[in-house]
Amino acid sequence: TLCGRAPQEPCFFSSVPPQPVPPLTQTLQGYLKALEPLLPPEELSHTRRMVQEFGRPGGLGPHLQEGLEKRARRTKNWISDWWVQWAYLESRQPLAVHSNPAISLPRRDFNDWRSQLVFASKLIAAVLDFKAKIGQLPVEYMRGKPLCMELYPLLFSSCRIPGPKHDYVAHHGNARRSPTHITVVRNYQFFQLEVYNSDGSRMTESQIRGQLLRIRSQSWKTDKEPMGILTSEHRHTWGEAYNRLLRDKLNQESVRMIETGLFSLCLDSPVLRISDEKYASRKAAQVLHGGGTFSNSGNRWFDKTLQFVVGEDGSWGLLYEQATAEGPPITNLLHHILEYCEKPDPKKAPLVPLPMPKKLYFHIDLDIKRDIEQAKQNLDILINDLDVNVFNFKRFGKELPKKHNLSPNSFIQVALQLAYYRSVSGQQRLSFKREAKLQLFREAVDAYSDLTDQALKGHGIDHHLLGLKLQAIEEGLSIPKIFMDTAYGLATHWKLRTGQVPTNTDSVMCFGPLVPDGYAVCYNPQADHFHFSVTAFNCCEETNAETLARTLKNTLCDLQELLQPTV
């Protein structure tokens, strides 16, 4: 967590200490402790013997540990490139829903295309302003620990490229002539929009707005094929289609423009509005996947690191690709955009004629047409399978746990665990006395805070265990028994995927569950309320987003009663 990516991209903030390799005994003990609530006694005894065998002096564990320690001496962060490769680039699941997080922001006060373009031009100017300030950003801290800042420059002009066995990320921002354009997509049609003047200065908002008007006039609804839909496919399928697509020179040039662009802007048609409650969920789903092939899904290029979405109905947000972008840089970028949007446009537009934005064309043969049709079917199936439930919990916010000396993040995480347990077991209340319950709750919250501190110090058990497994593979050894054990499979089957957006605005993050029988829950803690999004797959009978959302609301009310009894 502390420091960025692969060794060839050195961290330029030396305040971040190198990633340590935790002591082997500590990790193995932590692993067994984590398994206690998951396994029946006889299985736990079997796993305990296996772990002891792995960790004994002179055994396989210490040998692999030594390999990791050697690796750590050679690089600033021994796990980061392995982690990105294993957690993201080797995954063959579609990026849409399964991987890319979406952030839906409070609806802007407009409902027509002219205002959409005014806001979109301000948004582009804000992002360019953030990019210009990257070198001056102060180092961030979390619980007193410095966070690595090296991801910031990589956010721009980067794109994930599909491959047969694994993907890779192409970074074009540090090329000799770094790109000066963004990609704008409307009605499934892509445009290359230059955003810098010939003297290198950034275009003003009114210049950008004029160019967006030209794009609008060139992108009326036509029978254009939604090329972007291809990027929503299973990675192997998209990889094969990508190679077919790039055989043609025109396609090659168009794809290259999308991949090298600083970022993408998706100008969406309005989201269907039913009720305010349903609208919040629909808005988040719209940013996440585009709402389906008959809606705005053809306006996405899911491989792109940064995509901003602006709807004609005032809905807007950001979709990002996780192999390059992650929480802290995205949060800071959004914070900058929101601050910038409050300011009036400072510059007058210079009276220079601008070249027409360049429309990107594709040559579509029968094979590509078939690929698109298949991708459309698959994406609609995936979208229909995903249940999204977004709600605002208004009874209290993060001030309540703070008042009782509890970490708000740990408070919510324990509430999620309890709500999940209740929705799975059907048991709503435990029959303990209040004092005993309060004591147990405090212990649980403190335990979660301790785990967070361990992770921030680089002592998280999951990364260390993964490192030991990958070290064995790197040495050409067979995978150690400890990782073939059913317990390890169970421990790494993440049924609850969670994420926090710690922004000071009413935004909500949203993504799909990691496993078919799991949930994803994102939360944004504000002083007097919490924003939540809960997702689950409809095809799984054991999970239901609405049920978990309802149980979570009840659980939070019970915890409020526990901390502040009304009688």
Side-chain angles (χ1 to χ4, degrees):
T1 330
L2 292 185
C3 184
R5 289 300 187 257
Q8 67 269 23
E9 297 148 1
C11 183
F12 49 75
F13 287 85
S14 55
S15 59
V16 179
Q19 180 85 0
V21 179
L24 182 62
T25 316
Q26 176 185 299
T27 293
L28 296 180
Q29 282 170 353
Y31 175 53
L32 287 171
K33 195 172 180 200
L35 289 174
E36 278 172 19
L38 301 177
L39 296 176
E42 63 280 6
E43 278 187 44
L44 187 61
S45 301
H46 168 77
T47 300
R48 187 171 275 119
R49 285 194 297 275
M50 205 173 268
V51 168
Q52 282 164 353
E53 171 63 22
F54 178 77
R56 69 179 170 77
L60 184 54
H63 167 78
L64 296 174
Q65 175 79 356
E66 203 179 305
L68 286 186
E69 286 165 358
K70 270 188 196 152
R71 181 182 169 88
R73 288 195 285 275
R74 292 196 309 269
T75 173
K76 180 97 180 170
N77 188 324
W78 61 269
I79 187 68
S80 63
D81 52 333
W82 267 353
W83 174 253
V84 172
Q85 191 69 20
W86 176 85
Y88 304 123
L89 301 179
E90 284 181 12
S91 168
R92 303 289 78 200
Q93 294 266 56
L95 295 185
V97 172
H98 291 286
S99 181
N100 291 6
I103 299 177
S104 171
L105 286 116
R107 185 182 165 271
R108 307 298 296 192
D109 190 18
F110 62 79
N111 212 348
D112 66 289
W113 66 264
R114 281 189 179 80
S115 307
Q116 175 192 27
L117 299 190
V118 168
F119 176 66
S121 55
K122 190 149 199 101
L123 174 62
I124 292 168
V127 180
L128 295 176
D129 189 62
F130 178 81
K131 183 179 181 292
K133 291 186 164 74
I134 279 175
Q136 308 143 32
L137 292 171
V139 175
E140 283 173 74
Y141 288 83
M142 185 173 172
R143 295 195 178 196
K145 303 274 182 230
L147 297 175
C148 182
M149 308 281 283
E150 73 179 43
L151 292 186
Y152 283 81
L154 304 180
L155 293 176
F156 299 98
S157 293
S158 63
C159 194
R160 184 157 160 173
I161 312 292
K165 291 199 174 132
H166 62 81
D167 297 355
Y168 68 94
V169 178
H171 297 293
H172 302 278
N174 48 11
R176 202 156 48 89
R177 289 191 62 200
S178 51
T180 53
H181 70 280
I182 66 167
T183 311
V184 178
V185 52
R186 179 176 180 269
N187 284 341
Y188 315 156
Q189 294 156 74
F190 289 81
F191 294 82
Q192 174 191 346
L193 172 62
E194 290 294 330
V195 286
Y196 292 88
N197 291 302
S198 51
D199 63 358
S201 63
R202 301 199 301 270
M203 279 192 185
T204 63
E205 284 170 44
S206 51
Q207 279 181 305
I208 295 167
R209 189 162 63 250
Q211 294 294 72
L212 292 180
L213 277 166
R214 290 167 122 183
I215 285 172
R216 182 182 157 81
S217 68
Q218 286 189 76
S219 58
W220 295 111
K221 232 357 173 214
T222 62
D223 55 357
K224 286 285 181 287
E225 289 289 351
M227 296 303 296
I229 295 274
L230 289 172
T231 66
S232 71
E233 267 286 24
H234 182 278
R235 302 307 291 170
H236 180 72
T237 311
W238 164 222
E240 289 182 330
Y242 182 84
N243 291 335
R244 277 193 288 277
L245 189 64
L246 263 58
R247 283 184 204 141
D248 181 273
K249 188 127 184 0
L250 178 71
N251 295 346
Q252 230 175 58
E253 285 169 12
S254 294
V255 169
R256 172 125 184 115
M257 278 304 142
I258 297 169
E259 289 174 354
T260 57
L262 294 164
F263 54 89
S264 288
L265 171 75
C266 316
L267 293 171
D268 278 9
S269 52
V271 179
L272 186 64
R273 191 168 191 140
I274 313 164
S275 63
D276 279 0
E277 204 178 321
K278 286 266 184 353
Y279 182 66
S281 301
R282 201 160 272 234
K283 209 156 54 94
Q286 184 73 23
V287 181
L288 182 67
H289 49 56
T293 59
F294 291 101
S295 188
N296 293 297
S297 294
N299 285 354
R300 307 284 181 272
W301 194 268
F302 289 100
D303 293 6
K304 195 72 190 144
T305 301
L306 284 181
Q307 297 187 87
F308 295 91
V309 177
V310 180
E312 215 174 287
D313 57 336
S315 60
W316 72 291
L318 159 66
L319 185 66
Y320 64 95
E321 199 286 301
Q322 290 190 103
T324 301
E326 59 182 36
I330 294 295
T331 303
N332 275 347
L333 169 58
L334 283 176
H335 181 67
H336 186 85
I337 290 168
L338 290 160
E339 275 195 342
Y340 190 97
C341 285
E342 295 309 308
K343 299 174 193 164
D345 182 6
K347 297 191 201 78
K348 291 277 169 280
L351 294 168
V352 280
L354 294 170
M356 198 72 170
K358 187 182 169 198
K359 192 169 195 170
L360 303 178
Y361 290 97
F362 292 91
H363 177 246
I364 296 163
D365 60 20
L366 282 173
D367 285 343
I368 299 297
K369 173 99 177 111
R370 210 169 23 241
D371 290 334
I372 292 170
E373 287 311 309
Q374 191 62 55
K376 280 159 80 170
Q377 272 182 29
N378 290 341
L379 181 59
D380 282 339
I381 290 167
L382 177 59
I383 287 172
N384 290 330
D385 192 25
L386 185 76
D387 190 11
V388 179
N389 191 303
V390 170
F391 66 93
N392 183 359
F393 181 82
K394 296 178 179 172
R395 284 271 296 260
F396 64 88
K398 64 182 175 186
E399 287 307 315
L400 177 74
K402 274 182 169 176
K403 205 165 93 180
H404 293 269
N405 294 322
L406 295 165
S407 148
N409 184 52
S410 303
F411 173 88
I412 296 178
Q413 283 286 347
V414 174
L416 287 177
Q417 296 281 346
L418 182 53
Y420 175 76
Y421 173 76
R422 285 174 165 186
S423 64
V424 172
S425 67
Q427 191 169 351
Q428 289 306 302
R429 288 224 166 101
L430 296 175
S431 50
F432 284 100
K433 285 190 174 158
R434 183 182 164 266
E435 288 72 22
K437 272 190 197 174
L438 190 55
Q439 180 60 28
L440 288 168
F441 179 66
R442 281 192 174 279
E443 283 173 19
V445 171
D446 290 345
Y448 190 88
S449 295
D450 289 345
L451 288 171
T452 307
D453 286 337
Q454 287 294 316
L456 276 169
K457 287 177 193 154
H459 283 219
I461 62 169
D462 54 341
H463 280 187
H464 189 195
L465 289 168
L466 175 66
L468 293 162
K469 180 183 172 182
L470 296 178
Q471 181 64 29
I473 294 168
E474 189 144 296
E475 289 184 24
L477 303 169
S478 54
I479 293 176
K481 281 196 207 119
I482 182 178
F483 303 117
M484 305 301 280
D485 182 24
T486 49
Y488 187 70
L490 186 68
T492 53
H493 184 79
W494 312 110
K495 284 196 176 185
L496 201 52
R497 178 189 188 189
T498 64
Q500 183 190 183
V501 197
T503 60
N504 52 2
T505 174
D506 289 324
S507 57
V508 64
M509 186 155 74
C510 177
F511 41 56
L514 282 174
V515 292
D517 58 342
Y519 289 102
V521 183
C522 296
Y523 52 97
N524 177 0
Q526 297 295 305
D528 59 356
H529 61 279
F530 295 111
H531 287 281
F532 286 100
S533 78
V534 180
T535 63
F537 291 116
N538 293 319
C539 65
C540 177
E541 287 179 14
E542 298 155 34
T543 59
N544 183 299
E546 201 176 323
T547 304
L548 183 62
R550 191 172 55 248
T551 311
L552 179 54
K553 288 174 198 170
N554 293 339
T555 301
L556 288 166
C557 292
D558 289 348
L559 291 173
Q560 182 184 26
E561 180 67 23
L562 183 66
L563 292 172
Q564 294 181 334
T566 45
V567 281

